[in-house]
Amino acid sequence: MTFHLDQFLPYRLAVAAQLVSRRFARLYAAEAGLTIPEWRVLAHLNHSGIVSVRDIHARVNLDKSVVSRAATRLEQAGLVCKSDHAGDQRLIALQLTPQGRELMARLEDLAQGFQDQLLAELGPDATSLLAALDRLTQDAQTP
C-alpha cells in the first residue's frame, strides 16, 4: 500500500483544525482586529483569571515567545495587564483589564455563534466527532 499524505489522519486533523481556526480568525479579526495568538491569550485569560505566560503556553498550544509577543500587544492595547506572579518571581502574571473583559463579552457571543454554525454543518456527525476529539486529547489534558 502506498502512503498518501492526504489520507494520513494526523495530517487531515491538522489541516481541518487550521482551516476552521482561520475561518473563525476572520470573524474576530473583523470584529476586534485580533490575531490568532491574541485571541487565544484573551480567551484563556477570560476563562482562567490571572495566569502566567507559561500557563497560557501550556494550554493554548503556542510557543512561549508567541504568547509573550501577543501579551505585549494586548497590554499595549489596554486589554491585559502584567504583574509579578505571586508564586514565582521569575514569571509574569497576566489578567484581563475591564476593557479586555468587555471585549471578551462581545467575542463570546461571536464564538458561540461560530460553534453553533460548525455543529449545524456537521449535523448528526457532530456528537461522534466531539467524542472522538475528547478521546484523542484526553491524555494531553492530564498532568
Side-chain angles (χ1 to χ4, degrees):
M1 177 175 230
T2 304
F3 177 80
H4 293 282
L5 182 61
D6 60 352
Q7 295 302 312
F8 186 53
L9 183 58
Y11 173 76
R12 293 181 72 189
L13 287 169
V15 169
Q18 187 72 298
L19 291 172
V20 170
S21 183
R22 286 182 186 158
R23 231 172 102 184
F24 182 50
R26 284 193 293 274
L27 296 177
Y28 58 73
E31 175 71 23
L34 298 172
T35 65
I36 290 172
E38 291 166 350
W39 156 255
R40 289 184 186 177
V41 168
L42 286 174
H44 183 66
L45 289 172
N46 191 52
H47 173 73
S48 299
I50 302 171
V51 295
S52 71
V53 169
R54 181 177 63 191
D55 295 332
I56 295 171
H57 151 73
R59 182 71 178 109
V60 300
N61 197 29
L62 293 171
D63 290 336
K64 284 182 192 174
S65 62
V66 173
V67 173
S68 291
R69 285 192 301 273
T72 297
R73 288 189 303 270
L74 293 168
E75 181 183 35
Q76 291 168 348
L79 300 171
V80 303
C81 60
K82 294 180 181 179
S83 61
D84 292 334
H85 191 278
D88 188 338
Q89 294 303 312
R90 298 169 296 168
L91 299 176
I92 300 292
L94 302 173
Q95 71 182 75
L96 292 177
T97 63
Q99 183 181 351
R101 285 190 296 280
E102 180 182 305
L103 175 61
M104 283 309 300
R106 287 196 341 256
L107 294 179
E108 283 177 336
D109 292 337
L110 186 73
Q112 187 60 56
F114 183 74
Q115 177 160 302
D116 292 346
Q117 179 184 350
L118 283 177
L119 293 173
E121 287 175 25
L122 290 167
D125 295 328
T127 302
S128 297
L129 176 60
L130 292 171
L133 290 172
D134 286 344
R135 284 192 308 275
L136 288 172
T137 58
Q138 183 177 9
D139 289 340
Q141 294 178 1
T142 56

